[in-house]
Structures are given as structure tokens and as C-alpha cells.
């Protein structure tokens, strides 16, 4: 658990895993190899570092709802990597006591990927070292729209129309209903925006942007981000 007397402590983090393609291009490599680097090395590095630093929930944005518009060859390669991720790589995380969960709309993925994800969510459900939440086919606006649809289906449109939903009640229809909101959202890769990541949940999140590309965002970089968080005075709107 977090030692709150330490200057390196945060229990709930989220990362926008940006800069994979640029990292590869800067090295004269095919852009897709940046994604490969993250699946085979980067995720393991970040998760391991987060666990050592006492992080309990780590949300990693792996594929956005907009990413499907990329070159079909890149999408095909990404699907190959997801198959690898939810077989070989997730097995390693399981051995390290990682509980795996997901947010996003998985229905767009091929059935075998959906089945693999479900299998590892079930296999790792009792692990307690750290919960790693993969955001797959995730978009903040999409999540909010799906939450409204769920609420309407659950309560009925007439009931939904005439009552005032409390924020806590609405939050139960979000993908993240079982998870705390992130204290810190990190975006490597030079971009300085959230791009719709966790629109509802980021209400009081601190933000940290860095020029370091995601494949180079290692344990030392994560520690630097958390130290920056703990230097800030946070009053949560009070």
C-alpha cells in the first residue's frame, strides 16, 4: 500500500499510452513496431514499477474508438498484438499477482479476442497486488452515451425522463463503476490534451504531460510523475 509519508505515492493512476508510432519512426523503424515494443516490454515495465510504488489501480488506454480509422494494415497488426497480449503477456502479469480488468466496448473485436479477454479477467479476479484496467475500444463520449443507454434500459425511459439522477447513481452505469477515479492522468508523447480519456472520471484528476514517448516511459519516469503529483497542493474544489 501507499506510504503517505513518502513523496512517491499515488494509489490510482491512468496513462494515455501515446507516442508509440513516433518512437518507432524516430528510430527508422516501421511505425507499428512501437506498439510491439509496448506489448512485449513497455506494459510489463510500467505495471511492475507501479506495483512497486504502491499503485493499486492503473488504467492504460490501449485503443481508442477513433483508432479504428487508421490504416487497415496497422489495425490488423494491432489485433495480432492484442491476441499476443491476452495470451502470453497477460499470463506473465497473472504470475505477478495482477488483476486484469477492461473498460470500453469490446463488441467490435473479433470473438476470439473477446473470449481471451474474458478468460483472463476471470483467471485473475482474485489477484490483489494491483488492478490493471485496459481501456479497449474506449472513448469518453462513447462511454457516456452507453451509460445513458444503460440507465434508460434499467430504469425505463419514462422513469429516467421524470427523475433527477444523482451523480453517484449515474456513475454506476459507467464502465468504471467498480473503480476509483484516477488521482493522476499521465500522457507521454508530447501531446497536451486528454483526447476524451475518462471524461467523467477526470473531474478532479491532476494532469501530467511529458515529451517522453510511451515506449521510453519507464519506472523512473513514472516515479517522476508521482513525485510531481505529491508536490502539488490539492484541495478537490474546496
Amino acid at each position: 500500500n501507499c506510504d503517505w509519508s513518502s513523496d512517491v505515492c499515488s494509489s490510482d493512476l491512468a496513462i494515455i499510452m501515446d507516442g508509440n508510432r513516433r518512437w518507432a519512426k524516430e528510430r527508422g523503424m516501421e511505425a507499428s513496431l512501437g506498439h510491439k515494443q509496448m506489448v512485449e516490454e513497455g506494459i510489463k515495465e510500467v505495471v511492475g514499477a507501479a506495483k512497486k510504488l504502491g499503485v493499486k489501480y492503473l488504467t492504460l488506454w490501449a485503443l481508442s474508438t477513433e483508432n479504428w480509422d487508421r490504416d487497415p494494415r496497422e489495425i490488423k497488426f494491432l489485433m495480432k498484438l492484442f491476441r499476443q497480449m491476452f495470451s502470453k503477456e497477460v499470463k506473465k502479469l497473472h504470475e505477478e499477482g495482477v488483476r486484469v480488468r477492461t473498460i470500453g466496448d469490446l463488441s467490435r473485436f473479433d470473438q476470439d479476442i473477446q473470449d481471451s479477454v474474458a478468460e483472463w479477467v476471470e483467471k485473475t479476479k482474485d489477484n490483489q497486488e494491483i488492478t490493471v484496467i485496459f481501456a479497449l475500444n474506449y472513448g469518453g463520449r462513447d462511454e457516456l452515451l452507453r451509460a445513458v443507454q444503460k440507465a434508460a434500459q434499467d430504469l425505463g425511459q419514462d422513469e429516467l425522463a421524470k427523475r433527477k439522477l444523482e451523480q453517484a447513481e449515474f456513475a454506476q452505469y459507467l464502465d468504471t463503476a467498480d473503480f476509483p477515479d484516477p488521482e493522476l492522468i499521465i500522457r507521454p508523447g508530447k501531446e497536451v490534451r486528454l483526447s476524451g480519456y475518462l471524461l467523467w472520471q477526470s473531474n478532479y484528476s491532476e494532469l501530467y504531460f511529458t515529451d517522453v514517448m510511451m515506449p521510453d516511459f519507464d519506472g523512473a519516469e513514472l516515479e517522476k510523475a508521482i513525485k510531481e503529483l505529491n508536490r502539488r497542493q490539492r484541495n478537490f474544489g474546496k
Side-chain angles (χ1 to χ4, degrees), residues 17 20 35-36 39-40 43 60-64 67-68 70 74-90 102 106 109-110 112-114 116-117 120 134-138:
M17 298 198 297
N20 296 336
H35 301 307
K36 188 173 187 291
V39 165
E40 294 182 349
I43 290 175
L60 302 175
W61 200 1
L63 186 77
S64 80
N67 288 158
W68 297 96
R70 292 181 177 178
E74 182 177 358
I75 296 300
K76 184 177 180 179
F77 187 78
L78 283 171
M79 294 306 107
K80 179 181 178 182
L81 287 178
F82 282 130
R83 288 181 171 93
Q84 176 181 338
M85 181 70 208
F86 288 99
S87 56
K88 180 181 177 182
E89 308 305 332
V90 173
T102 67
L106 296 182
F109 291 97
D110 289 343
D112 68 302
I113 296 178
Q114 295 183 48
S116 293
V117 170
W120 283 107
F134 291 99
L136 303 170
N137 190 29
Y138 175 85

Side-chain angles (χ1 to χ4, degrees), residues 50-68:
K51 188 172 70 166
K52 289 178 181 178
L53 291 169
V55 175
K56 300 310 293 181
Y57 291 87
L58 175 65
T59 306
L60 302 175
W61 200 1
L63 186 77
S64 80
T65 50
E66 289 77 27
N67 288 158
W68 297 96

Side-chain angles (χ1 to χ4, degrees), residues 147-148 151-152 155 159-171 173 200:
V148 171
L155 302 172
E159 176 68 17
L160 184 61
K162 68 183 182 182
R163 66 179 291 184
K164 179 182 178 181
L165 274 181
E166 298 294 333
Q167 290 189 23
E169 184 179 6
F170 180 74
Y173 294 102
W200 177 279

Side-chain angles (χ1 to χ4, degrees), residues 145-161 163 165 168-174:
L145 288 173
R146 288 187 289 104
V148 171
Q149 292 170 340
K150 291 176 188 175
Q153 291 171 357
D154 185 30
L155 302 172
Q157 291 188 2
D158 292 341
E159 176 68 17
L160 184 61
R163 66 179 291 184
L165 274 181
E169 184 179 6
F170 180 74
Q172 292 305 303
Y173 294 102
L174 296 170

